[in-house]
Amino acid sequence: MRIRIALAIVLIAIAGAATAQADSLLAPKKHGDFGHYTLALTWQPGFCAEGQCDADQNHDIRIGLHGLWASRPQDLISRGVAAQQWWSRGCDFYHHSNATPDLDGPTRRNLERVMPQLDPSLLTHEYDKHVQCFDFDTQRFFATALDLRQRIAGSPLGDWLREHAGQRVARADVLAQFDRAFHTNKTAALQLRCSGPHDSRYLSQLWFTIPRTHLAAFPQDAGLMKAPIAQHNCPAQFRLPDWSS
């Protein structure tokens, strides 16, 4: 019995160390006292239906990557900066760089494959607004964002969304699939964002809220949290557009 208990303690310690190591990959060198991340994924046919994607946008991808956004650092909260102001300006509260991120070739190509291709560049915008002021390791940051996106795209939830592309779906069904796929009851960690006319809304983005210190666990239950401020706007029924619809 003592051997079993000791082994269990060792395994727990190893698991905890692995999680801490994985989370430390995105340890920012500045302003690292924020509470959570938002992983913003695009439902690419819906996002591009707004007419802003380039004509040569990759149509092989339905679940794309918008960005990975840190919430407000504590010094901005102390200064009375509202969440909505942070959403609008991000790193511009500290400085504006307009620099292109320094990435290796494979990472840049993967980002070009899964991100909406906009003019001006969405990648440069994301780096400028959500990355550079934290002094993240840029390569690790975008590699991690790609990995988090793949965890959703390659999941049962991703499969379900692709299987229903081109159809009208119920918001409750999408959320139920999310709960089932990741064995969670933290339904409010997923916010569905819709676009289009009031009588013909369609899915354009999926936003996931992740505790800063449990990034490695995403999208399992420990890596999810209720969004502090609700921003979901999809009606009870909406369209899940496909590239051809």
Side-chain angles (χ1 to χ4, degrees), residues 122-158:
L122 177 59
L123 175 57
T124 298
H125 168 80
E126 290 299 303
Y127 174 71
D128 181 44
K129 184 176 180 182
H130 298 288
V131 182
Q132 48 89 12
C133 66
F134 293 96
D135 203 9
F136 285 110
D137 181 299
T138 305
Q139 182 66 39
R140 286 178 176 176
F141 183 92
F142 284 104
T144 299
L146 284 166
D147 175 61
L148 298 177
R149 175 256 168 201
Q150 182 57 37
R151 295 183 198 182
I152 298 298
S155 74
L157 174 62

Side-chain angles (χ1 to χ4, degrees), residues 45-185:
F47 187 90
C48 289
E50 301 173 10
Q52 55 188 343
C53 296
D54 291 347
D56 60 351
Q57 178 70 45
N58 180 4
H59 284 196
D60 293 332
I61 298 296
R62 292 185 178 87
I63 299 176
L65 174 65
H66 185 162
L68 182 62
W69 309 332
S71 61
R72 279 174 300 167
Q74 285 298 317
D75 71 307
L76 295 185
I77 294 174
S78 299
R79 287 160 48 187
V81 173
Q84 292 81 356
Q85 293 174 289
W86 172 247
W87 300 340
S88 175
R89 293 184 57 192
C91 283
D92 278 358
F93 274 105
Y94 299 107
H95 60 87
H96 182 81
S97 73
N98 202 33
T100 300
D102 183 17
L103 299 169
D104 66 27
T107 300
R108 185 173 294 278
R109 286 190 293 273
N110 282 335
L111 288 167
E112 290 173 352
R113 185 177 67 88
V114 303
M115 290 187 82
Q117 295 303 299
L118 311 179
D119 186 15
S121 166
L122 177 59
L123 175 57
T124 298
H125 168 80
E126 290 299 303
Y127 174 71
D128 181 44
K129 184 176 180 182
H130 298 288
V131 182
Q132 48 89 12
C133 66
F134 293 96
D135 203 9
F136 285 110
D137 181 299
T138 305
Q139 182 66 39
R140 286 178 176 176
F141 183 92
F142 284 104
T144 299
L146 284 166
D147 175 61
L148 298 177
R149 175 256 168 201
Q150 182 57 37
R151 295 183 198 182
I152 298 298
S155 74
L157 174 62
D159 293 340
W160 189 91
L161 291 169
R162 284 186 292 270
E163 289 166 3
H164 289 77
Q167 302 177 26
R168 288 188 65 80
V169 297
R171 180 183 63 219
D173 288 344
V174 178
L175 296 177
Q177 289 295 326
F178 168 70
D179 288 352
R180 187 175 302 117
F182 305 117
H183 311 288
T184 185
N185 61 3

